[in-house]
Amino acid sequence: MADRQRVAVVGCGSIGRAHLESYRRAGVEIAAVCDLDRDRLAAAGDEFGVGRRFERYEDLLAADRYDLVSVCTMPATHREVAVAALAAGANVLCEKPPALNAAEVAAMIRAAQEAGRFLTFGFNMRYLPNARILKRFVEAGGLGRPVYTRAWTFASDIPWWGKHWVKSISGGGVLASTAVHILDLALWMAGDPRPMTASASMTRLFPAKRGGTAPDEASAAAFDVEDTFSGHIRFEDGSWMTLEGGWSYDRLDYSYSFEMTGERAAIRFDPMQIVSERDGAPVDITSEYLAPAEQAAATWQGGWRGAINDEIADVVAAVRDGRAPMVTARQALTVQATMDALYRSAEAGLEVAVEIPVAHAAT
């Protein structure tokens, strides 16, 4: 492999442009970009100095070979683009949610195995400063065995910048497009426990709430996903998690966080806090584990860009060093299977099993 990696980005919307900016910072060669929207393609190509521009990902893959391809399209096309890129010899960084369902993610994993390349996903909250600090505390044994997690993502607006509100394109609403981040983060923090069952309730408050925010009548008419939900997940080790989310939550600020109770202590993601028992009473011990600079950095607010930069740097280093990146495809498969179960439960009105499909390539 050449010393300077050659990467391509498929999808030049807001997240695709964030990938492009991070690749530029990482010093790799941005060899090609792709987008069905000609204006968006031209704007991205001009801004990042990329001469090779394609409207079809098939043409991009046929034109050259790449060390790494970022798939920044909507979930409806994640599987087909990722599988094609892997078959063409590229490693793949695919945005979240992983796909429309777990069967698609399993097919992507098999394609990666057959190609001898890695497949990773854009769960960039793992790279935030407070996530890394808390993970360090957990791995050092400070939390003890995780017992119960409460995770939530409450937003006061609908993400109209992409068709996250059309189920056939996005795979779901606030759970698939927003809460997926905190679900992955909480599972990773807890050491990837195996989910066994899930139960959920969900509904759509739009247009009774936020109806006036739709960019046009067609968008409002196409809105067919949940914008409010809550769920309960049971794990094989006896621990459990509650997960809540909303796009129409009536509060004045965003709140994306989790609280995790362990046998020795408890942690909160944002605002970050570590609490332990001393002489029979809970005591805030956060400062014992943080240097002053870490205390100032320990927030996700405004940290998305830095997290994506660090995510891209990790993936670029993984290609260079021949190792796996932080986010593994099997972890993403568990996240997707858990979301699938929550959707099935809400539709059936019953607790259901979390079904994780086999993802081994045929031998």
Side-chain angles (χ1 to χ4, degrees):
M1 185 174 294
D3 289 339
R4 192 164 190 241
Q5 294 173 28
R6 305 182 73 254
V7 305
V9 175
V10 180
C12 297
S14 58
I15 190 62
R17 294 172 77 91
H19 279 228
L20 287 164
E21 176 61 36
S22 295
Y23 281 130
R24 181 162 62 184
R25 289 173 60 93
V28 299
E29 177 186 349
I30 304 172
V33 289
C34 176
D35 200 290
L36 291 171
D37 186 312
R38 292 183 179 180
D39 292 338
R40 194 160 58 187
L41 178 62
D46 290 347
E47 179 178 353
F48 295 97
V50 186
R52 306 202 74 180
R53 308 171 187 183
F54 302 88
E55 294 178 33
R56 299 173 68 250
Y57 75 85
E58 298 95 334
D59 295 335
L60 177 144
L61 295 175
D64 210 338
R65 290 184 64 84
Y66 312 96
D67 299 307
L68 178 63
V69 171
S70 273
V71 179
C72 300
T73 61
M74 290 296 288
T77 56
H78 282 181
R79 180 193 58 78
E80 65 177 273
V81 179
V83 168
L86 290 161
N91 297 286
V92 169
L93 166 58
C94 182
E95 266 304 322
K96 59 80 197 168
L100 293 182
N101 53 61
E104 290 194 349
V105 181
M108 296 160 73
I109 293 174
R110 289 192 292 271
Q113 293 171 340
E114 291 167 356
R117 295 292 183 268
F118 71 65
L119 168 68
T120 187
F121 291 86
F123 291 123
N124 55 62
M125 288 187 78
R126 297 192 194 184
Y127 295 87
L128 290 165
N130 42 349
R132 296 186 188 194
I133 293 166
L134 291 175
K135 184 66 171 176
R136 185 177 69 206
F137 174 77
V138 172
E139 289 186 335
L143 183 73
R145 184 180 70 87
V147 175
Y148 161 60
T149 303
R150 175 178 172 255
W152 64 91
T153 55
F154 292 128
S156 57
D157 59 354
I158 296 166
W160 294 111
W161 55 87
K163 292 191 175 181
H164 307 284
W165 30 272
V166 179
K167 188 173 183 178
S168 62
I169 297 173
S170 67
V174 64
L175 170 57
S177 296
T178 306
V180 61
H181 267 301
I182 208 73
L183 172 60
D184 170 76
L185 185 63
L187 289 172
W188 175 66
M189 194 68 62
D192 300 310
R194 181 179 176 84
M196 300 302 293
T197 65
S199 178
S201 296
M202 52 186 68
T203 192
R204 181 167 64 250
L205 298 179
F206 178 88
K209 284 189 174 180
R210 310 303 186 266
T213 66
D216 49 57
E217 292 183 3
S219 298
F223 194 112
D224 66 350
V225 297
E226 86 289 347
D227 58 17
T228 303
F229 84 95
S230 64
H232 184 93
I233 306 160
R234 300 177 191 272
F235 298 98
E236 188 176 50
D237 63 2
S239 64
W240 69 94
M241 180 191 301
T242 63
L243 180 66
E244 305 171 85
W247 282 340
S248 303
Y249 196 64
D250 291 328
R251 59 181 296 158
L252 301 181
D253 59 342
Y254 280 51
S255 182
Y256 288 32
S257 194
F258 70 81
E259 297 170 340
M260 184 175 294
T261 297
E263 291 181 327
R264 296 181 181 175
I267 58 175
R268 184 174 63 204
F269 173 63
D270 190 73
M272 195 182 76
Q273 188 177 52
I274 303 172
V275 175
S276 186
E277 181 179 316
R278 300 280 173 86
D279 298 324
V283 177
D284 187 335
I285 60 170
T286 312
S287 61
E288 296 179 18
Y289 290 88
L290 297 183
E294 288 182 316
Q295 293 184 49
T299 177
W300 73 267
Q301 299 284 354
W304 291 106
R305 178 66 69 179
I308 294 174
N309 287 340
D310 289 347
E311 172 191 55
I312 294 292
D314 175 49
V315 175
V316 167
V319 175
R320 181 194 65 220
D321 300 338
R323 62 166 175 83
M326 180 192 293
V327 180
T328 71
R330 292 189 179 279
Q331 291 169 331
L333 178 61
T334 298
V335 171
Q336 184 70 59
T338 303
M339 292 195 302
D340 291 355
L342 290 166
Y343 280 119
R344 291 200 316 274
S345 170
E347 183 176 0
L350 300 167
E351 186 173 36
V352 302
V354 177
E355 300 172 357
I356 303 177
V358 175
H360 297 296
T363 57

